[in-house]
Amino acid sequence: MSVKLKKSPSNRQYKLFNQVLNLKDVNLKRQFILGYTELSVQPQTSTGKIWKVNLNCKQCRILKVKVNGHNANFSYADATLKITAADSKKRNLEFYEASLYEAVMSCDSDCVSRGGELIVKVPRDAYPKDTSETTQVVLKIGIEFSLEKPKGGVQFVECKEGQATKYSHMFTYNWRNSSRLWFPCVDSYSELCTWEINVTVPSHLVVVASGELSDQLLSIDGNQKTYCFSLPIPTAAPNVAMAIGPFEIFPDPILPEMVHFCLPGLLSALKNTISFISGIFGFYEEYLSSRFPFTTCKFVFVDESYDDISTYSTLCICHTHLLHSPRVIDPVPRVRLLLAEALAKQYFGCYISSASLYDWWLPLGIAKFVSLAALRKMFGATEGYYHIMQAEEKVASFEVANNVPALFSTQYITSPTSNTPGVVPMATASPLDYPPSGRFTNHPYFLSDKAAEVMTLRAFLVVQMIESRIGKDQLHQVFNKLLSLASVAAESSDPSSWNNLLVSLSGLMKLVHTVSGKDITNLLEQWVCRNGVPRINVAYTYIRKKNILEVRLRQEVPRGGPKFVGPLTVAVQELDGFYSHTIQVEELSSTYELPCHSKIRKSKKRKVPLSCGEEVEMDLSQTDTEIPVLWINVDPEGQWLKKAELEQSDNTWQYVLRYERSATMQIKAAEALGNFPNPLTKTALLETILNKNFYFRVRLKACDTLVQVLNSMAGSGVSAGPIISLYQRVYGSKCAPNILKYLDFSDVAAYELQKFLPICAARCRALHGSCPKEVLQFLIDTIKYSDNKLNKYTDSFHTASLMDAMSAYVTPSVSVLASIGRDTSVKTLPEDIQIILKEVVQRLNLDKVLPSHLFTVTVSCLGVIRSLQKNGYLPQDATIFKEYAVYGQFIAVRLAALRALVDMVQVGQSELELSFLLDIIENDPVPFVRIKVLQYLAENPPFTRKKESSLNSIQLVDRLWSTMSELFYDARLRTAYTDMYMSLYGRLTPPCLPQGLGIVIDLKEKVARTSLGSPVNSPLSDDIPFPGPSTSGLSIFSSSQSSKVNLTEISKSLPTDIFDTEKYDDSMPPPSKRHIGELFLSETPVGGEERSQKKKKKKDKSKEQKHKKKKKHKHKDI
């Protein structure tokens, strides 16, 4: 077969346009897959022929390879199988990351023209002899492969020890481009092709895969069934996935193109969870002015998922813990946002994918921006602004504490098609333009989970800034143009036009310029090609003579980060109304004069028009009558990525909290009032909490700040009383406030407040640092009188919050601290601790009989037990946490127990518990759990480089280093390991490792001495331990060798001529380093130390002799 195709612009020497994937046998019991794949490629060389084809493949056993029906030779080379040698002398992150970068890039076909682990040699017989020059031959590469007990890429659930249950299932997962882990392919986002997927399984199983189900074939005996899927839209291999299991099927009652799958027994929860998805589906089509790109969309819920939701073309693999019944309230906002974002990724991420791995953040940022519009539709515009504020704070705080690379690694690359500086995508940029160290690149293989999450949030905020620059309607046109071009390309049979299904940074920049006529190059150079968040401090002064407001703006720019340059909105609330001003920021420190429109009036009460158009009557008795300005705000719409700090008085913040209608500004005011603990602040916070018209997150923030204020005022006799009285006033009965009303969670805002107030009360502290006793009685009464029989919603999360309050109540006692380490019984504990322990044990046992949703009560009870241990009331026993941490427990319970064990290791320095955690990291069957434990250890390390610890040993370094070097199958797990290694040892070599043994050779006495000073051939130094860090020599032994070395054998291997005194004497210079070779490790000349000491002794003796002679002469003269 031969067709005419245009040359591909990629680095590869061929163009892939179709791939067939047949999985002939999928055995869940054996965890075995037998498959065959056929790739149709066309050479892109000038001769029209290629003799080698590099493909991506890991952990698969290749059985046979054929090219156009002819047997072909192949070879396998994977540099990531062993990133560093086991006996490597260097064990620091600089060396590891450089080795990892070289290994990964050698297999990346986007960066290296011949990158790939599997090399297929094309036989000469594969090309027909009568091929003309204008017609090129299509090579069909058929590969038979098998996969047995994979370490990554495929997850088998309930398939242990050769047994399968009725819940046994499997699914594929990846971290960016990791499809190579379960079938041979071109694992690149830039290489698109059409797909045909056929999977044969036992007849009782259901197959869900990328593409549209075209046919189902039943075997003659009825035991096997083949599912046939077709994906005519060009799709990259990383966006292909599947799931196999005994799923229950639920077609969407409104949208026939949507089908949902879940495990047996979860159908009712599935129906409730996805009930809203059809509305979001229609909203996206209206918002983007484009139909859904695929003919079908499937949501499948599995257990032990790699992420909460993983999105692939036409398929979303979700975790079962996202499912919930109609009686559950708490997870609804988060679950709906996750599902809405997954649906948005079908547009941007699957249908339109990134042009390369270095553009991975761009479609994800667009998808998150689109999902924000769905969030506003579901929960209101205020919730949308709150999420923008949260994203800014998260990006700012994380980038200050961590070295996060810029979104796009190259800066100021000159575009080949333009004379102006611009940014070009990876497809047109040389791989050499990228940094040589993997730590400072945005390649997803070198990014931790948190860094990738922060970069995605930054990409979302960049899209937000583009909208503020060009306008909302113009940005909608950009999205519509992207989808229109992609739709035309998807219908074309010419693979050269499929590039419109890819989005790159330069392509987006040009499209924005085409649609809006505005150049956003400076914006991209400032926020995309640089990392860091500028910190802006704003203060103001009213000048009465000129009736102006003098605004002083000062920037603190992070090292290497962007300086904010551009228009900035300053909103001023005056007595006569709200006024918005735009200032142009150019310098790090500037002063601006803004005109005031209000006159000074001395009336105590008046109506003030606000920014929303509402007029509010304000009590102005607390304000300065000489200033007509009430407050100011900077960038109220959140258009720029920054960390803004406003310097305003406590009275000003109180007015903002009471009268401002922007929820984000109210939250900032509530946070700022924590710095002004006084009765007026307390009153303002209490009024805010009781005001039902305020956004519930503002009220929750006011509660949090109220605790801070009350603790600061503890010396004046103020304790948790205001919070307890407020709770009983709202939720208690009228005749007996300590007895609660029947629980009613129909008002979500009141429900959130009811959960949070007991925790706030338990966080209050008296003057001596302990929690007031009345708080415990308040908590016991709340637990005792909480009656949920008339409530249509579950009280699982409400009960869990009361357990969290118990944990917050516990504080260390002097008497208890004195008895730490002794055997204690329950009767010896304080009375309040006995009450808490009894309640926790009761709730823990009850949750086993009547489980709460996601075992939230058990998770909170484990937290209380750990708090009692940390404060010395219970012995440091890890038995209960180990029982809850083993495989088979619910995943949320496991993670809570593992977090407690990590804390125990950090506090108690227990080697046994650390070994238990490392065993889970290395052997646990759930990858998500392994990653979370590593993240816990990175956040709360058992020791640091500057802290001495008995856990800091050579054996631990060897164990971590060897595991890191062999993690070829999971890049995400590998980055989690490096983060933990970074927390423990930093970027330098661990200090516990031997730093080397220098050898000094005395040529005169013909003796070789160690840096410790003992002779090499001394009987006492034949076997000596490694010394500590040496300043006189370098290491010649790897840390993997024995800690004892026979130095006599080393002395025998020394050249004999260096001991020849006829050749060398004291008057001659020391021999050069080339005479001694590798054994000359000390920078001190051979025998230099002893010669200098002998010379010094001779000088001292000569001085003494001269001094004696002088004395004799003096005596003679006398």
Side-chain angles (χ1 to χ4, degrees), residues 654-803:
Q654 291 169 16
Y655 277 100
V656 173
L657 185 60
R658 284 190 174 104
Y659 302 111
E660 175 63 77
R661 293 299 178 258
S662 170
T664 56
M665 188 61 180
Q666 284 182 301
I667 292 175
K668 293 178 182 178
E671 182 178 1
L673 284 174
N675 300 321
F676 305 98
N678 54 58
L680 293 178
T681 297
K682 184 188 73 172
T683 302
L685 293 172
L686 289 172
E687 291 177 358
T688 302
I689 297 171
L690 290 172
N691 195 331
K692 296 181 179 180
N693 295 325
F694 285 173
Y695 183 49
F696 81 97
R697 296 193 186 277
V698 176
R699 300 169 69 185
L700 295 179
K701 188 62 181 178
C703 292
D704 186 61
T705 305
L706 182 60
V707 175
Q708 182 180 350
V709 171
L710 293 178
N711 289 338
S712 300
M713 299 172 63
S716 59
V718 181
S719 60
I723 298 179
I724 296 175
S725 60
L726 185 149
Y727 183 90
Q728 294 176 348
R729 173 183 172 184
V730 177
Y731 303 105
S733 59
K734 295 182 179 179
C735 57
N738 64 318
I739 300 177
L740 299 185
K741 303 174 185 177
Y742 286 113
L743 296 179
D744 183 11
F745 300 154
S746 56
D747 186 351
V748 177
Y751 166 62
E752 294 290 344
L753 193 64
Q754 189 173 4
K755 288 192 306 177
F756 193 54
L757 280 175
I759 299 176
C760 293
R763 287 167 50 197
C764 291
R765 296 292 181 263
L767 185 60
H768 53 277
S770 63
C771 189
K773 298 297 181 181
E774 61 267 20
V775 173
L776 180 61
Q777 187 61 45
F778 162 68
L779 295 177
I780 296 300
D781 290 342
T782 305
I783 295 174
K784 180 179 179 180
Y785 297 114
S786 293
D787 194 342
N788 200 53
K789 64 182 179 182
L790 298 181
N791 192 7
K792 65 178 181 179
Y793 299 105
T794 180
D795 64 342
S796 299
F797 292 90
H798 177 262
T799 305
S801 67
L802 293 175
M803 295 298 104

Side-chain angles (χ1 to χ4, degrees), residues 75 108 331 350 436 476:
S75 60
D108 192 342
C350 297
H476 285 181

Side-chain angles (χ1 to χ4, degrees), residues 1066-1104:
D1066 289 342
S1067 62
M1068 296 176 62
S1072 61
K1073 294 184 180 181
R1074 58 185 177 89
H1075 291 292
I1076 304 180
E1078 296 180 357
L1079 292 175
F1080 195 97
L1081 301 177
S1082 176
E1083 295 182 1
T1084 306
V1086 176
E1089 292 181 357
E1090 295 192 0
R1091 285 201 304 271
S1092 62
Q1093 292 177 359
K1094 290 181 178 179
K1095 289 181 179 179
K1096 188 177 181 180
K1097 290 180 179 178
K1098 289 181 179 178
K1099 289 181 179 179
D1100 294 340
K1101 288 182 180 180
S1102 62
K1103 287 182 179 179
E1104 290 179 0

Side-chain angles (χ1 to χ4, degrees), residues 293-414:
F294 300 105
T295 57
T296 182
C297 183
K298 303 174 283 289
F299 285 87
V300 55
F301 291 83
V302 299
D303 197 12
E304 300 180 7
S305 175
Y306 197 62
D307 273 318
D308 288 336
I309 296 182
S310 300
T311 308
Y312 310 93
S313 294
T314 75
L315 176 63
C316 298
I317 297 180
C318 316
H319 202 291
T320 52
H321 68 217
L322 297 181
L323 298 175
H324 57 272
S325 68
R327 299 187 70 244
V328 179
I329 300 176
D330 297 70
V332 172
R334 176 176 175 271
V335 171
R336 292 196 174 186
L337 179 59
L338 286 173
L339 294 176
E341 188 174 345
L343 196 59
K345 288 179 181 178
Q346 291 293 324
Y347 288 90
F348 300 98
C350 297
Y351 184 60
I352 298 179
S353 60
S354 57
S356 73
L357 273 175
Y358 291 89
D359 294 307
W360 64 268
W361 52 270
L362 184 54
L364 297 184
I366 297 176
K368 187 172 284 291
F369 179 83
V370 173
S371 65
L372 180 67
L375 176 71
R376 287 171 173 159
K377 174 180 171 55
M378 291 185 291
F379 303 108
T382 304
E383 185 72 8
Y385 287 122
Y386 174 77
H387 274 263
I388 294 174
M389 183 185 71
Q390 288 292 99
E392 290 181 349
E393 292 180 355
K394 192 168 187 178
V395 171
S397 60
F398 188 83
E399 292 196 359
V400 167
N402 302 273
N403 189 5
V404 181
L407 291 178
F408 201 75
S409 297
T410 52
Q411 300 184 22
Y412 306 107
I413 299 179
T414 304

